[in-house]
Amino acid sequence: MSRDLSRALKVSDYAELRLDYLDPADIPDALKAARKHMRKIVCTIRPKSEGGGEFSGGESSREDLLVAAAEYRPFLLDVEHRSLSKSPRLRRRLSNADLLVSWHNGVTPGTGVLEKKVKEMARFGGRIKMACKAKSKIDALRMIGLYAKCGDNRLISFGIGNRASFSRITCMDLGSPYTYACIDRPFAPGQMRVSTIRQMDKLRFQ
């Protein structure tokens, strides 16, 4: 993990640390190993109940690990909107953390639903990540269309899927502070390599 993290930070300004892919018992040691890079890390412990999550423990255990991760002061701590909505206790325990409030969905709802969701998520402060599976380019356009009404440099919104790849780079032109990319193989459908995005940036600004 330490080797891959160092490799990622050589080609990218930030890296996401997907702690949910580890055995829960190994997460404290992983946090210690990543300590020196924490101000450049988005820490994620995604539950299986939400978009691509792999955490295998109980919710109480996951909340304790989120609090432990917050103590290392990562650049952002990714916490699901559902978790924050359901647990006032978790909100209190993370009151000093730099949060990324996230929401993942298996379909792309209508624009009205999306805009309402952004407002609900904004109540918890921090930055907001919305990622929905796109069955068409129209779905992806709805996701990046949110920047026109909700973009204030807090929103990260794009579509998931091969038809939505363009939204992962267009989002940065519309106000997203960053996007998600991979070094080698994609971890989500439609995800681009860092090298591809950097090359596209060069071509766009020539």
Side-chain angles (χ1 to χ4, degrees):
M1 185 206 75
S2 296
R3 182 180 63 248
D4 288 345
L5 183 56
S6 295
R7 182 183 172 212
L9 289 172
K10 286 180 180 178
V11 297
S12 179
D13 298 321
Y14 299 97
E16 183 183 30
L17 191 56
R18 287 297 301 267
L19 295 166
D20 49 300
Y21 278 78
L22 298 175
D23 185 303
D26 291 333
I27 291 178
D29 286 338
L31 289 168
K32 291 178 184 177
R35 184 198 308 262
K36 67 179 181 180
H37 299 299
M38 273 296 168
R39 293 311 296 166
K40 296 183 176 181
I41 288 176
V42 177
C43 275
T44 302
I45 312 177
R46 185 89 64 229
K48 287 188 175 181
S49 60
E50 178 137 355
E54 289 293 331
F55 185 74
S56 58
E59 185 61 13
S60 177
S61 171
R62 192 179 76 93
E63 287 191 5
D64 288 342
L65 289 168
L66 284 168
V67 173
E71 292 175 357
Y72 284 86
R73 304 299 300 170
F75 166 58
L76 291 171
L77 179 65
D78 185 330
V79 185
E80 299 74 24
H81 176 242
R82 289 184 182 93
S83 298
L84 292 168
S85 298
K86 291 179 180 179
S87 178
R89 180 172 178 266
L90 178 62
R91 295 199 299 271
R92 289 194 300 270
R93 296 176 77 189
L94 296 178
S95 60
N96 293 322
D98 294 318
L99 294 182
L100 173 64
V101 183
S102 64
W103 182 65
H104 302 79
N105 207 44
V107 297
T108 302
T111 300
V113 174
L114 292 170
E115 291 177 0
K116 181 180 178 182
K117 180 63 71 172
V118 169
K119 291 178 181 178
E120 291 174 357
M121 295 167 71
R123 298 203 324 262
F124 299 115
R127 289 186 171 162
I128 300 164
K129 177 191 175 188
M130 301 184 69
C132 296
K133 186 174 182 180
K135 294 182 179 180
S136 66
K137 290 183 178 180
I138 298 299
D139 284 349
L141 287 171
R142 282 208 298 278
M143 295 303 297
I144 59 176
L146 290 173
Y147 291 99
K149 295 187 177 180
C150 311
D152 58 359
N153 204 41
R154 291 177 59 201
L155 178 66
I156 301 106
S157 177
F158 54 83
I160 300 172
N162 293 329
R163 293 183 177 88
S165 291
F166 71 92
S167 67
R168 289 178 175 270
I169 188 165
T170 304
C171 67
M172 292 190 293
D173 290 329
L174 298 175
S176 179
Y178 64 82
T179 191
Y180 285 77
C182 59
I183 300 176
D184 298 314
R185 66 181 182 85
F187 283 87
Q191 194 176 66
M192 298 182 185
R193 290 185 175 88
V194 174
S195 57
T196 300
I197 289 180
R198 289 198 179 279
Q199 183 61 33
M200 291 176 72
D201 270 341
K202 289 179 183 178
L203 292 172
R204 285 182 346 198
F205 294 110
Q206 280 181 354

